[in-house]
Amino acid sequence: MKLTSEEQEMLEGKYGKAAKKSMEILTTLGEIFHSDYMVDVYGVQIAGVSYANLGEAGLEFLSEMADDGKVRVLTTLNPAGMDRENWKVLGIDEEFAKNQNRAIDAFAKMGIITTCSCTPYLIGNAPHFGQHIAWAESSAVCYANSVIGARTNREGGPSALASALTGKTPNYGYHLDQNRHGEVLINITTQVKGTDEFGVLGKIIGDKLGELGKKIPYITGIDSATMEELKSFCASVATYGGVALFHMEGITPEYNNYPKPTEISFDIDRKDLEKTRSELIDEDIEIDFVSIGCPHASIHEIAKIASLLDGKKVNKEFWITTARPTKKIADEAGYSKIIEDAGAKFAADTCCVVAPIKGRFKGIMVDSAKACYYGRAKNQFKVKIGTIEECIEEATL
Ligand code: F3S
């Protein structure tokens, strides 16, 4: 790779041990993917933050990097294993909390903003069209590439940290125009509405692309989509199909930049949506846990939850997972009080997938197809998908 003199000096250790290690990671990646040079990144988002994923080996790596490493660009974290303030109320064990805090402290020492969220674009880590970034969370990567038109590969924990400590990433994959054109044309012939239904649509497309061995769908037939619907779609299509970029005619900013694919195409109709929705509802489910906010809830979603819960009481464990800055806006707006008076709980910094709650509940109801996937695969819950309204109805039965 061709390095600038500053990058070369980082590699030689003139900027310290952490910058050297980081540049070694990035140049190795660059060589594997035949990148010619590095690009500057506007911001970074780091995943693998939960102590359950990191373990002692991960913590050791972080502590080493934190010895003399300091971030050069705005960097935030993906959800951790617990709400850093509310962990006791959410039933998190004390030993886990201690270890999770050790990890967050190591990130903080490097100058990383310790807001733990999978929606960095809602809390100020928000690139604009065409900017290079290095993000790790799959749903956020898909949102950044597709909805914002920023450019990022899906980074692993160490490579994202390396980008944070150097401000660089190797120029390959989704950073390059030639890798951003649609491969499969998908025409939606029915109206799609709600975060749950956009999640179902993401599963259909993700599953189908998996079968075809393709990664970039070009979607037509969607008249409108809210930010919340798109974030749900991104989480789902990334989970079921490993999709990091899609184009949606009339909705996403790059749909007109590349020719429509012509070789492979298929339609999705109402029957397909209903069939796939039924796959996300387990038989004989006994729901004892309801969670909204996968990906992390926006202030719009929290306002809606507050209006639906106003004056009611929940009879099941009910989490609203969100970024702490969003929770603070909800506090100021009075939404948190309405929600907490109803007996629901905020779980900021974390979510129903990364928190260590495996086996703690029998059945979970969510409005997210991604949460269904991990609820089954990781936490061994039975799952049911529904609209936000249906989730709240279930919680208040
Ligand atoms: Fe975010 Fe957790 Fe869902 S990280 S996308 S809320 S699984």
Side-chain angles (χ1 to χ4, degrees), residues 102-114:
R102 284 166 63 213
I104 305 271
D105 291 347
F107 286 121
K109 199 174 164 207
M110 290 183 266
I112 293 166
I113 295 170
T114 54

Side-chain angles (χ1 to χ4, degrees), residues 45 78-80 117-119 137-140 231 235 239 293-297 321-322 350-354 368 370-371 374:
Q45 192 248 7
N78 213 32
S117 179
C118 51
T119 56
E137 153 60 29
S138 65
S139 68
K231 83 175 160 67
T239 297
C294 173
H296 271 173
T321 57
T322 191
T350 187
C351 77
C352 66
V353 169
V354 294
S368 158
K370 173 172 180 175
Y374 286 104

Side-chain angles (χ1 to χ4, degrees), residues 83-277:
D83 184 316
R84 296 192 77 202
E85 291 176 12
N86 209 20
W87 57 270
K88 275 195 184 146
V89 174
L90 299 171
I92 303 297
D93 143 293
E94 191 141 2
E95 184 63 19
F96 182 87
K98 207 175 84 200
N99 287 325
Q100 183 62 75
N101 277 331
R102 284 166 63 213
I104 305 271
D105 291 347
F107 286 121
K109 199 174 164 207
M110 290 183 266
I112 293 166
I113 295 170
T114 54
T115 290
C116 303
S117 179
C118 51
T119 56
Y121 46 90
L122 295 183
I123 52 148
N125 190 354
H128 66 61
F129 181 85
Q131 273 185 322
H132 297 282
I133 54 175
W135 284 10
E137 153 60 29
S138 65
S139 68
V141 164
C142 187
Y143 192 95
N145 275 322
S146 317
V147 182
I148 300 173
R151 295 181 173 219
T152 180
N153 292 313
R154 187 185 173 191
E155 301 296 341
S159 67
L161 181 60
S163 286
L165 296 173
T166 58
K168 310 280 177 179
T169 193
N171 193 32
Y172 72 95
Y174 293 109
H175 292 283
L176 301 171
D177 281 348
Q178 69 257 32
N179 298 324
R180 295 178 68 87
H181 58 88
E183 299 172 306
V184 178
L185 180 64
I186 302 166
N187 185 34
I188 315 299
T189 63
T190 181
Q191 206 197 3
V192 184
K193 217 172 159 20
T195 45
D196 57 320
E197 203 157 87
F198 270 85
V200 170
L201 180 67
K203 172 166 165 47
I204 300 175
I205 295 177
D207 285 346
K208 186 80 183 162
L209 290 187
E211 282 166 27
L212 294 167
K214 298 286 180 194
K215 288 285 179 214
I216 310 179
Y218 186 110
I219 302 156
T220 63
I222 300 280
D223 294 338
S224 66
T226 64
M227 183 278 291
E228 288 76 11
E229 289 167 338
L230 289 170
K231 83 175 160 67
S232 178
F233 177 76
C234 288
S236 179
V237 80
T239 297
Y240 291 94
V243 170
L245 167 65
F246 64 88
H247 301 295
M248 201 177 263
E249 194 171 49
I251 308 255
T252 59
E254 279 176 272
Y255 80 92
N256 240 344
N257 288 16
Y258 312 98
K260 257 189 209 175
T262 48
E263 275 179 26
I264 315 175
S265 66
F266 62 92
D267 290 353
I268 293 174
D269 61 16
R270 175 69 17 206
K271 265 207 213 133
D272 297 319
L273 283 174
E274 293 313 326
K275 181 177 166 289
T276 301
R277 169 182 292 274

Side-chain angles (χ1 to χ4, degrees), residues 64-78:
E64 245 173 60
M65 297 299 258
D67 219 21
D68 70 345
K70 282 279 174 260
V71 296
R72 291 184 145 220
V73 292
L74 183 82
T75 303
T76 57
L77 298 173
N78 213 32

